[in-house]
Amino acid sequence: MHNEWSQLKNELPELLEQSRKETIHGQVAEYIPELAHAPAQGLGITIADRQGNVIHAGDCSISFTLQSISKVFTLMLALMDNGEETVFTKVGKEPTGDDFNSMLKLELVEPGIPFNPLINAGAIAVSSMIKGKSPQEKAGRVLEFFHTLTGDASLTVNEKVYLSEKRTAHRNRSLAYFLKENQVLDEDTDVEEVLDVYFRHCSIETNCGHLAAMAVILANQGADPATGVQLIPKRYVQIAKTFMISCGMYNASGEFAIQAGIPAKSGVSGGILALVPGRYGIGVIGPALNSKGNSTAGVHLLESLSRSYGWSMF
Ligand code: GLN
């Protein structure tokens, strides 16, 4: 283990520069206008082990928003708030094979609940299950959860990105109204309020260090590796990690499971949170995305690391 860590330290910069070449095959997301300013050639990675050691390589100073990575954590918070049985009456457990913001299956497949919590429709349903008296309180509880997991109480919503998404989220708005039509959101739910919670957690500003710190908690089955305190029940971490394998990289999750074989969750900001169970938490940023919405260089880097170090779980 110790040998692997020093080898990683030595080899990471070179592996990263190899993967950086993949950025030319990707494009920065523009459908949320504020995301378009991200550096297209950027690539950075942080790896944290359970002993508190951290390695950074590349452009780790880039800050970015959590976007879909937040869905893994809102899922666990909703599970902590409501229990497994209730959550899975509103959202399913299966991959879709469709784009992350697709509406298709909501109409095609009865009873019209989102297929899983990591696609947009599913995450919006999950946002509606976060407890709190007001959207502000709900969004505040989500933010606090991230403060606890990152150990950084200065973590906050990037207002520009939040407003940019709120202004342009026609598709997510349609999805949410469809969910109301299908009674996934109750009759008395204010759709705009649910969306507000969703946009806010997607817009939390972060960096690779935060992602690695949160991922190593998942790698440690929900316990803080430094203190041993169980921050998230093991069962909910198990559920989250399983979704990361089956749906975490959207409709490229099967491919990623074959090539890298580790739980991961990407976001359209180009961030990827990944983990090697029992060992490492990993945070990656590479804003240039492929057609599935995953960081081209980030995916390449995680796959080459997994191959080099034999990290696949399978
Ligand atoms: N906020 C983004 C959206 O709803 C999250 C999607 C993503 O990261 N894939 O479109």
Side-chain angles (χ1 to χ4, degrees), residues 31-32 35 66-71 100-101 118 120 124 165 169 172 198-199 202-203 250 265-270 292-293:
Y31 77 102
I32 299 175
L35 296 184
L66 283 171
Q67 298 301 335
S68 282
I69 297 168
S70 60
K71 297 169 179 174
F100 64 83
N101 55 6
L118 300 187
N120 287 11
I124 293 168
E165 177 164 5
N172 281 334
Y198 173 81
F199 298 147
C202 287
S203 305
Y250 312 122
K265 180 75 203 90
S266 63
V268 288
S269 51
K292 304 280 170 74

Side-chain angles (χ1 to χ4, degrees), residues 118-139:
L118 300 187
I119 52 171
N120 287 11
I124 293 168
V126 167
S127 292
S128 78
M129 290 184 270
I130 305 288
K131 297 262 193 249
K133 287 192 216 57
S134 61
Q136 290 76 10
E137 190 178 319
K138 292 176 192 183

